[in-house]
Amino acid sequence: MGHVRTALLVGLLVLGGCGREAGTSSSGGQPPVSPSGQVVIAGTVVDGAGLPVEGALVQPRSVDDPPRPVPELAVISGPDGRYEWGLPAGRYEFTAVKGDRTSAPVQVTAALGTTDALQEVPLQLP
């Protein structure tokens, strides 16, 4: 079972890194919007002591009815625990996974043209 989980995780890591571009916004309070019209959601994965967690698998799940498609399976947190993700406008539940640890889910609303999508989505691993 451990080998299957490891193989799946490696596959997701490879897919999560495909087509992802890091960037910053200078839009003066407006959420950054990618050229495809997606809202960029950013956050940090930390451990119980508040230290950044590198290499955590961050996954959103649409909680809209009907669910919205998620363009990538997952993204990986960087050395500073940071991640960012371009998503269509909608409501999502984010979780982070590393090894056998999973964060509590955090809900966020990604909305074009509002500051709601710019909120930090912190994820804490136990």
Side-chain angles (χ1 to χ4, degrees):
M1 178 76 170
H3 294 298
V4 172
R5 185 174 180 183
T6 301
L8 178 60
L9 187 56
V10 168
L12 289 174
L13 294 175
V14 170
L15 288 173
C18 294
R20 189 170 159 236
E21 292 182 29
T24 58
S25 170
S26 60
S27 59
Q30 292 298 314
V33 179
S34 71
S36 64
Q38 295 180 332
V39 178
V40 177
I41 302 294
T44 304
V45 180
V46 297
D47 63 16
L51 298 173
V53 176
E54 179 178 8
L57 186 70
V58 178
Q59 301 170 300
R61 178 181 68 85
S62 174
V63 293
D64 286 332
D65 188 22
R68 296 183 182 277
V70 176
E72 296 178 73
L73 296 175
V75 295
I76 306 302
S77 61
D80 57 356
R82 298 282 302 161
Y83 69 90
E84 66 178 49
W85 201 311
L87 292 168
R91 295 178 312 126
Y92 298 90
E93 183 176 271
F94 278 77
T95 56
V97 176
K98 182 155 186 184
D100 61 351
R101 301 180 297 164
T102 301
S103 70
V106 175
Q107 286 199 4
V108 62
T109 298
L112 294 171
T114 70
T115 56
D116 290 343
L118 200 52
Q119 71 183 346
E120 282 291 303
V121 181
L123 299 168
Q124 183 174 6
L125 292 171

